[in-house]
Amino acid sequence: MNYRSFLKSEWLTLVRRKQDTINALLFFVMVILLFPLGVDPSKAFLEPASGGIVWCAVALSILMAVESMYKEDFNDGSLEQWLTSGLSLPYLVFLKVFVQWLVVIVPLLLVLPLLANMLFFPIEQLMVMISTLLLGTPALFFIGAIGSALTVSLRRGAVLMLLLILPLYIPVIIFATGAIRAAQSGMSYSGQLAILAAISLTALVLSPLMAALSIKASMN
Amino acid sequence: MSVNLQINNFWIERNERQLCRDLSFSVSDGELVRIAGDNGAGKSSLIKAILGWIPIEEGLIRLNGEDITHNRDLLLFDQIYLGHTPGIKSILSVNENLRMYCPNASEVALNEALQQVNLELFDDTPAAQLSAGQKRRVALARLWLTKKRIWFLDEPFTALDAHGVAALEAKIQSQLESGGAVVITTHQPLYHLSPKTVELTP
Amino acid sequence: MKWTWFHRLGSPKWFYQWAERWRGKCLGLGIVLLVLGFVWGLAFAPADYQQGNSFRIIYLHVPAAILAQSCYLGMGIAGFVALVWQMKLAPVFIKAVAPVGAAMALIALVSGAIWGKPTWGTWWVWDARLTSVLVLFLLYMGVIAIQNAIEDRVFADKAVAVVSLLGLINLPIIKYSVEWWNTLHQPATFKLTEKPAMPVEMWLPLLICALGSYLFVAGIAMWRMQTEVLNRERKSSWVKEKVVDYGI
């Protein structure tokens, strides 16, 4: 096994299974649907809230996608092979998260214009929302990868993983929605985007190390 | 090709149970070592401890004289490990699975290996459609595709038919003859091989 | 048989005996200071010119909030130590302190809410400090939950270390983000703790209360760690001797 063949098989697996992509996408649409139905369908509520609604939905569907990211590898023995391959486990984790990010986020971004429009989100500011998603979601994936690694061997790991990871998502959600809100009221939002990028970069550096450590401990 | 793996004074503890106490043995080229013991005696754990993913309480491990207790990379690059679960992705085809593990193998070698494990007709079949024994044979095909000096085979005969057992025994024999070493755990009698036995006693 | 095997066990034993000496002193002095601080604060300190007597809950609220944060800081550092140096006592510390810290966070939350009622007219205000204590409480719950969910001890130790460290790295970011979010939402007119010029008679008992709770929590933590050490080392000879000494 080398990094290239690993990346290729991860890519093939995710693209062929499609399940992660479709589930995340459906979940995303459903959560967004809940807000007009459950709270208020008027433009007066939805327009200012749309950034927050989209981000909550994104965070939840990412949690869904990330939660079981190593489950199959754990069950079919692939994790054991990663550990004994002599390759760097953090780097393998990094590649896996990266592929996962691509197959989940790209479809979300594709349906985003439609959903944003349904939430009365001003179309001129769509690029801001897309920027927050591109800069912020890597952090959500990388942080989630740690929780998933910690709970992969546990029978009821899903709820536990939510409890562990969701509080850590708060800053990303705050800064992302802050940027969107600032843009909506015509203020500068580059600061928030910079913070999002910083959080994502930090997560990108630290998370593969901690996830690798957790996988190793899980395989005990 | 010569190899010498020394396990010195291993102490392994799992869930507050001592699996091995002050265990020492060595594996050299041309040697087959069989780890024996009852169910739950810690045979798999011993292999995992040698490979470095469960911690040892005490002990030293040397590869060709070099101390690798704290960094097993040297050993990992020079071995194949096959565990209880074969590490075969069910959504990928047999060919794709083997390509993932052995990216440098040629098409000819790949077909050759599949022939050896009696899977030549299945190369494009998704692994999901294979039986447990067939999946295991896919994993075993890796032994034909890469040259590694040490093999760690944890219960490799499970779910194999008579033909598979014979082929694997022959492959192990040829690995030993070409100067490799094999560490194996199995409950089945070995017909054509004469291993050195390391007994794990509770 | 090698002697290093015993040397490594030696450290928990040394801790046990050290804690045996200091535990009682910490607990005793802590309780004395707490009683002194509370009585002084509740009965003798002057009433606040704005909030009247209701401000006196500060003597419970502030020490609890400080302790909740300090405990998490300690846990995060212990998590780092556990992962990097694999010190045996570090996971014991996390396991012992997590419920204490969670209790402190809960006390801070509840007393904050009670204080909020007369001051702001509602039990809960999305105040930056209160909100970050709430998140802190959730982080504690995460550590405790994963500790309970994993049966294998080695794995559980690693997992709580990772989670504690992860929380520690995130805590400043969470705090900063919540404060930033709070100023965005509402001007920070209400601050629970920042009284510009607090007279000495007011803050001295507060200081005593805080010191007292540090000592008290330290004592409790030592006690809990001792219990855990005994449990973990139950197969070693010194624990067996100890148990025999007690005549069990």
Side-chain angles (χ1 to χ4, degrees), chain B residues 92-106:
Chain B
L92 301 182
S93 74
V94 169
N95 238 328
E96 286 162 342
N97 266 300
L98 286 176
R99 282 248 167 263
M100 167 172 76
Y101 287 116
C102 315
N104 300 322
S106 69

Side-chain angles (χ1 to χ4, degrees), chain B residues 52-100:
Chain B
W53 97 68
I54 65 177
I56 52 172
E57 305 281 310
E58 271 304 304
L60 201 69
I61 169 164
R62 284 175 198 280
L63 181 67
N64 300 332
E66 200 164 330
D67 185 351
I68 54 163
T69 314
H70 298 292
N71 185 355
R72 309 282 163 89
D73 285 356
L74 270 182
L75 174 63
L76 292 180
F77 278 126
D78 222 359
Q79 59 81 40
I80 288 189
Y81 164 79
L82 295 180
H84 289 216
T85 39
I88 298 300
K89 293 240 149 283
S90 53
I91 199 140
L92 301 182
S93 74
V94 169
N95 238 328
E96 286 162 342
N97 266 300
L98 286 176
R99 282 248 167 263
M100 167 172 76

Side-chain angles (χ1 to χ4, degrees), chain A:
Chain A
M1 184 156 51
N2 58 28
Y3 295 116
R4 233 180 110 177
S5 68
F6 173 81
L7 189 63
K8 196 177 160 201
S9 76
E10 280 303 318
W11 172 255
L12 273 181
T13 308
L14 284 172
V15 169
R16 220 172 268 175
R17 197 165 52 204
K18 297 183 191 76
Q19 195 185 324
D20 299 78
T21 308
I22 294 173
N23 283 0
L25 201 56
L26 284 179
F27 197 69
F28 179 64
V29 175
M30 304 272 213
V31 174
I32 287 191
L33 195 65
L34 287 182
F35 282 86
L37 293 181
V39 190
D40 185 359
S42 73
K43 189 175 178 184
F45 163 72
L46 285 176
E47 188 179 353
S50 50
I53 295 173
V54 166
W55 259 91
C56 287
V58 164
L60 289 175
S61 44
I62 287 177
L63 259 183
M64 277 257 305
V66 171
E67 184 268 315
S68 57
M69 66 181 287
Y70 311 103
K71 206 82 194 179
E72 228 184 81
D73 302 315
F74 179 78
N75 290 333
D76 68 17
S78 300
L79 281 186
E80 295 188 344
Q81 293 300 331
W82 300 5
L83 278 176
T84 54
S85 64
L87 303 176
S88 146
L89 192 53
Y91 194 52
L92 294 180
V93 170
F94 169 79
L95 291 177
K96 192 175 172 79
V97 175
F98 176 70
V99 175
Q100 189 108 12
W101 181 77
L102 271 185
V103 301
V104 172
I105 285 304
V106 171
L108 286 194
L109 288 179
L110 290 179
V111 297
L112 186 68
L114 184 66
L115 290 167
N117 196 35
M118 286 162 75
L119 292 173
F120 306 107
F121 186 78
I123 203 81
E124 315 82 62
Q125 263 121 39
L126 199 61
M127 275 324 285
V128 182
M129 189 183 266
I130 290 174
S131 314
T132 61
L133 286 172
L134 284 175
L135 291 174
T137 51
L140 302 191
F141 271 89
F142 278 108
I143 298 170
I146 305 175
S148 179
L150 280 171
T151 52
V152 66
S153 62
L154 305 178
R155 243 172 293 128
R156 275 185 291 274
V159 184
L160 185 61
M161 142 108 192
L162 280 176
L163 183 60
L164 289 178
I165 294 307
L166 215 43
L168 307 180
Y169 278 8
I170 291 172
V172 178
I173 296 178
I174 288 178
F175 288 117
T177 54
I180 295 172
R181 199 173 297 120
Q184 276 177 317
S185 51
M187 291 191 295
S188 158
Y189 51 85
S190 52
Q192 289 91 313
L193 290 186
I195 293 176
L196 281 182
I199 296 177
S200 277
L201 285 175
T202 315
L204 186 146
V205 173
L206 290 181
S207 145
L209 295 172
M210 289 173 103
L213 219 145
S214 312
I215 289 177
K216 220 170 162 185
S218 293
M219 303 295 293
N220 221 337

Side-chain angles (χ1 to χ4, degrees), chain B residues 11 15-16 18 57-58, chain C residues 4 8 152-153 234-235:
Chain B
W11 295 71
N15 297 324
E16 322 231 331
Q18 292 258 303
E57 305 281 310
E58 271 304 304
Chain C
T4 44
R8 210 178 297 174
D152 180 79
R153 207 191 68 202
R234 62 176 176 269
K235 280 189 185 149

Side-chain angles (χ1 to χ4, degrees), chain B residues 38-50:
Chain B
D38 301 332
N39 288 334
K43 301 189 290 292
S44 304
S45 299
L46 177 58
I47 290 185
K48 290 174 185 173
I50 292 172

Side-chain angles (χ1 to χ4, degrees), chain C residues 3-208:
Chain C
W3 279 100
T4 44
W5 171 250
F6 294 100
H7 287 314
R8 210 178 297 174
L9 282 183
S11 145
K13 181 186 178 188
W14 179 85
F15 168 80
Y16 185 89
Q17 285 159 350
W18 178 83
E20 194 73 27
R21 271 202 311 278
W22 288 96
R23 182 191 74 204
K25 287 171 193 153
C26 277
L27 275 179
L29 190 59
I31 290 171
V32 169
L33 284 180
L34 274 179
V35 170
L36 181 72
F38 278 148
V39 171
W40 188 353
L42 295 183
F44 298 105
D48 186 81
Y49 74 102
Q50 266 183 334
Q51 302 185 10
N53 278 324
S54 69
F55 96 97
R56 290 179 200 277
I57 201 168
I58 200 176
Y59 298 108
L60 179 65
H61 177 79
V62 169
I66 293 175
L67 255 296
Q69 291 178 38
S70 301
C71 285
Y72 207 94
L73 179 68
M75 278 165 57
I77 293 170
F80 184 77
V81 170
L83 292 177
V84 176
W85 292 294
Q86 267 134 36
M87 206 180 119
K88 270 188 159 187
L89 278 173
V92 178
F93 176 81
I94 299 178
K95 193 177 178 187
V97 167
V100 183
M104 288 297 155
L106 192 62
I107 292 175
L109 278 178
V110 171
S111 59
I114 294 173
W115 191 4
K117 185 69 183 162
T119 318
W120 301 325
T122 53
W123 295 105
W124 184 264
V125 167
W126 290 99
D127 164 77
R129 283 160 190 268
L130 274 180
T131 312
S132 46
V133 174
L134 180 62
V135 178
L136 182 64
F137 178 70
L138 291 175
L139 289 177
Y140 273 118
M141 284 297 126
V143 174
I144 295 171
I146 196 154
Q147 170 86 55
N148 288 336
I150 303 174
E151 278 165 30
D152 180 79
R153 207 191 68 202
V154 180
F155 177 24
D157 284 354
K158 278 260 167 63
V160 290
V162 168
V163 176
S164 307
L165 181 57
L166 198 60
L168 183 65
I169 297 170
N170 268 278
L171 211 52
I173 306 177
I174 293 174
K175 257 189 100 93
Y176 171 68
S177 70
V178 170
E179 249 152 53
W180 181 83
W181 157 85
N182 185 250
T183 49
L184 189 77
H185 271 249
Q186 52 178 69
T189 29
F190 310 116
K191 276 266 165 78
L192 275 180
T193 44
E194 272 175 28
K195 281 262 128 209
M198 211 188 219
V200 182
E201 310 87 80
M202 269 181 174
W203 65 254
L204 197 59
L206 186 59
L207 188 68
I208 291 173

Side-chain angles (χ1 to χ4, degrees), chain B residues 171-189:
Chain B
K171 186 62 192 165
I172 291 176
Q173 189 63 45
S174 82
Q175 158 85 350
L176 299 177
E177 277 160 11
S178 67
V182 180
V183 178
I184 194 172
T185 72
T186 182
H187 288 289
Q188 272 162 16

